[in-house]
Amino acid sequence: MGSAERKEREKAELKELILTASKKILLSEGQEGLSIRKIAKAIEYSPATIYLYYTDKDAILHELMEIGFEMMNKYISGAFTEADPIKRIHETGHAYVKFGLENKDWYHLMFNSDKPMKHIEKCKEDWDQGMSMFQFLVDSCSEALNMMGGSKLDPKILALQLWSCVHGLVNLAQTERLEIVETDQTHELISKTLESMLISVFHR
Amino acid sequence: MGSAERKEREKAELKELILTASKKILLSEGQEGLSIRKIAKAIEYSPATIYLYYTDKDAILHELMEIGFEMMNKYISGAFTEADPIKRIHETGHAYVKFGLENKDWYHLMFNSDKPMKHIEKCKEDWDQGMSMFQFLVDSCSEALNMMGGSKLDPKILALQLWSCVHGLVNLAQTERLEIVETDQTHELISKTLESMLISVFHR
DNA sequence: TGTTTTACTAAACAGTGTTTAGTAAATTTG
DNA sequence: CAAATTTACTAAACACTGTTTAGTAAAACA
């Protein structure tokens, strides 16, 4: 009778084992190196077994994406407590970029790949971590606009403007496009551009 | 004697044939659907033959990238003649985004993929079309800053700020991330954000 | 003990990029 | 013109990829 619960626990354990193995491979070999067969070898099961625990490779990537959002939260959470909305946006932006540069493969999973997105018909429900992060930015923008007074700017559009900029910067850096702007100056370029962006929006 | 030239011409013709076939497949089936075997079938040669004309698949992708830049030029060239630098930047931005949205696979090849980049050790020499496009933006920014007078902003940084924003927007749109900001409003969001960006930088 | 369910896997399918060895035809040479 | 050589090409294989199917042991239940 009680064995049913044990079974379920074991099943959850193997599912977790698959995930931690995937995580390890993603870290050591990147998204390109993450294959079902490699995961299978790492956990010492056959490739087919993985399909008894995850419907797809995409399903695994989707779980990794969620882990990625938790990782990102650790970078950004420091900004949550900042009272001044503009300073808060500053901190968030820098943390966002830092995360993107230090966790290329995770960033890709979260913001570039449409693979784990294909896994999302429900879209909004399943990208809720990303959505609430964006909402946090919208709220901060709203606060900042109120503070600056009398602005007819849409906080949503402003948030999207900021997001696009940092997203673009991270992508350009990751694909080495910033090298053509100025060689070996990626970090410098990013912080300067981010600063320029925030000044042109908030005038300080 | 003269047959040597004919031979060379035929060799160039087949090389061109491979490229046009690749182009067709990229258009109809996207980057995912573009495989060596499919190209071979399209031109009615064996897969191995392709490697007598291109060292790599990456080499083909690189050629397609260059075609992409020529396509993009047609979108942007309209802005070249605009005398007012700010208006010119406006037009360029809109054309850039339009190209990105209408030519997803090409855009990806040009600005996201590091595959044809791997093919570039010389980097700067081989991405020269992209580089001169960026230089055009830098020059326009420089002009605009001079016109506005007494700005201590770096035109290079300003250009990068604008590029990041449009690049980010195109990517977010292509990966359906804008759907989470507002459903079925992608185009509207983009033009509003682009406009907001330009206003916050040039105050009009 | 016998039956049923569960957990797992070997092997295959349909792809991918790429390399190697071998062949048939065109060209050059004696 | 015939023989030797070069050129142009390909079949087949290698090492991968994600995924499915059919079949097998072992565990659980009756």
Side-chain angles (χ1 to χ4, degrees), chain A residues 160-170 193 197, chain B residues 161 164-165 168:
Chain A
L160 184 51
Q161 182 184 333
L162 294 168
W163 185 24
S164 296
C165 186
V166 289
H167 180 57
L169 273 177
V170 170
T193 306
M197 177 70 187
Chain B
Q161 183 183 332
S164 295
C165 186

Side-chain angles (χ1 to χ4, degrees), chain A residues 7 11 14 37 44-46 48-49 52-53:
Chain A
K7 276 289 175 67
K11 218 171 158 84
L14 187 43
R37 281 176 174 83
E44 295 180 285
Y45 280 82
S46 88
T49 301
L52 300 172
Y53 294 85

Side-chain angles (χ1 to χ4, degrees), chain A residues 6-202:
Chain A
R6 195 207 60 205
K7 276 289 175 67
E8 220 168 298
R9 200 182 55 232
E10 281 176 352
K11 218 171 158 84
E13 266 169 27
L14 187 43
K15 206 174 177 188
E16 197 59 33
L17 195 63
I18 292 170
L19 205 60
T20 53
S22 306
K23 200 172 156 180
K24 230 174 261 179
I25 295 169
L26 187 68
L27 275 166
S28 60
E29 306 192 49
Q31 180 142 218
E32 302 259 283
L34 180 61
S35 75
I36 297 290
R37 281 176 174 83
K38 256 182 211 160
I39 299 168
K41 189 163 278 179
I43 62 170
E44 295 180 285
Y45 280 82
S46 88
T49 301
I50 290 171
Y51 289 88
L52 300 172
Y53 294 85
Y54 290 95
T55 59
D56 252 347
K57 191 190 178 183
D58 286 351
I60 298 173
L61 294 180
H62 185 265
E63 296 261 279
L64 288 173
M65 184 190 83
E66 305 229 289
I67 292 175
F69 273 111
E70 276 150 38
M71 288 167 66
M72 194 176 195
N73 241 307
K74 285 180 191 158
Y75 279 72
I76 294 182
S77 61
F80 292 164
T81 52
E82 174 59 58
D84 178 41
I86 295 179
K87 277 186 190 166
R88 189 158 70 235
I89 290 166
H90 255 80
E91 277 180 43
T92 308
H94 280 99
Y96 183 102
V97 168
K98 191 169 157 54
F99 172 80
L101 296 179
E102 289 176 3
N103 307 277
K104 177 171 167 155
D105 292 295
W106 259 279
Y107 189 88
H108 198 264
L109 236 38
M110 295 154 74
F111 296 104
N112 285 318
S113 173
D114 35 32
K115 279 247 168 82
M117 274 294 183
K118 202 174 56 188
H119 204 257
I120 304 172
E121 306 297 299
K122 344 149 206 173
C123 204
K124 283 196 182 182
E125 285 116 89
D126 233 347
W127 212 65
D128 62 343
Q129 294 196 82
M131 221 188 151
S132 65
M133 272 200 181
F134 181 70
Q135 194 52 51
F136 169 67
L137 184 60
V138 174
D139 293 342
S140 295
C141 283
S142 193
E143 263 188 76
L145 289 172
N146 282 337
M147 214 180 71
M148 297 200 305
S151 177
K152 52 196 180 323
L153 265 64
D154 182 349
K156 217 176 202 171
I157 296 297
L158 186 57
L160 184 51
Q161 182 184 333
L162 294 168
W163 185 24
S164 296
C165 186
V166 289
H167 180 57
L169 273 177
V170 170
N171 271 317
L172 290 175
Q174 281 180 353
T175 58
E176 260 134 303
R177 257 68 172 189
L178 293 189
E179 290 296 310
I180 70 118
V181 177
E182 203 136 5
T183 329
D184 292 326
Q185 220 69 43
T186 300
H187 234 85
E188 194 84 356
L189 282 173
I190 287 177
S191 69
K192 276 186 184 170
T193 306
L194 186 50
E195 220 51 52
S196 170
M197 177 70 187
L198 292 165
I199 288 170
S200 66
V201 169
F202 298 115

